[in-house]
Amino acid sequence: MTELGHVVFYVRNLGRSVAFYRDVVGLNVVGELFGGRAAMLTGGRTHHELLLIEIGDAPGPSRGRRLGLYHVGWKIGDSLDALRATKERIERAGVALDGASDHTVSQSLYLRDPDGNEVELYVDDPSVDWRRTDGWMEAAVKPLRL
């Protein structure tokens, strides 16, 4: 099972972008992160289908980031065993990992496609009920060891 999980965009003005994706696209705001510099939105299928991160109005790249696509997250299963199998497949293919993170609500592997686009492959943690609690939103990102 592989399904599109979420997309992350760097935006200039968070309020303007949230209004667009909420009022025009029809997504619901789940919460804010990073001291109000990011917002998570969902259509209800998962904890977030869209993450918007504000980088401000400075012309050109801001803090090494560019406007637009940051990464695309693909949900690849429902267990750490599925993530371990995916990691083994990545290693067999000779593709380098950029990182592995425990986001509390999900556990992720990060890599680059042949053109340098960042791809996140992840599984959700079934012990975290993202529909009933939002404490995971402010949880620190931890290193993931598989």
Side-chain angles (χ1 to χ4, degrees):
M1 168 193 95
T2 299
E3 65 184 21
L4 182 60
H6 64 266
V7 175
V8 181
F9 285 123
Y10 287 130
V11 300
R12 291 234 187 260
N13 182 296
L14 184 62
R16 180 179 64 204
S17 294
V18 165
F20 174 83
Y21 285 101
R22 182 192 59 222
D23 301 341
V24 177
V25 176
L27 297 176
N28 297 309
V29 177
V30 177
E32 291 187 350
L33 303 167
F34 313 135
R37 303 277 300 175
M40 300 175 93
L41 296 97
T42 185
R45 181 184 55 83
T46 186
H47 40 81
H48 72 287
E49 282 105 353
L50 180 64
L51 174 61
L52 302 172
I53 303 173
E54 183 177 71
I55 62 171
D57 291 325
S62 178
R63 291 175 288 181
R65 299 177 181 151
R66 66 188 188 287
L67 281 176
L69 182 66
Y70 172 19
H71 72 257
V72 175
W74 295 93
K75 183 178 178 188
I76 53 83
D78 293 314
S79 69
L80 283 178
D81 287 339
L83 199 60
R84 284 185 195 96
T86 297
K87 182 176 185 273
E88 291 170 7
R89 187 173 71 243
I90 291 166
E91 291 168 345
R92 281 194 308 273
V95 174
L97 283 176
D98 284 352
S101 299
D102 178 347
H103 298 282
T104 302
V105 73
S106 62
Q107 289 76 40
S108 306
L109 301 173
Y110 294 90
L111 59 152
R112 304 259 171 199
D113 75 6
D115 293 310
N117 295 303
E118 186 171 293
V119 175
E120 175 186 7
L121 304 176
Y122 74 93
V123 296
D124 285 334
D125 185 332
S127 71
V128 178
D129 186 352
W130 57 267
R131 293 180 197 272
R132 296 185 192 268
T133 180
D134 62 4
W136 56 270
M137 284 188 224
E138 291 297 329
V141 177
K142 300 166 285 297
L144 177 65
R145 303 194 200 309
L146 289 176

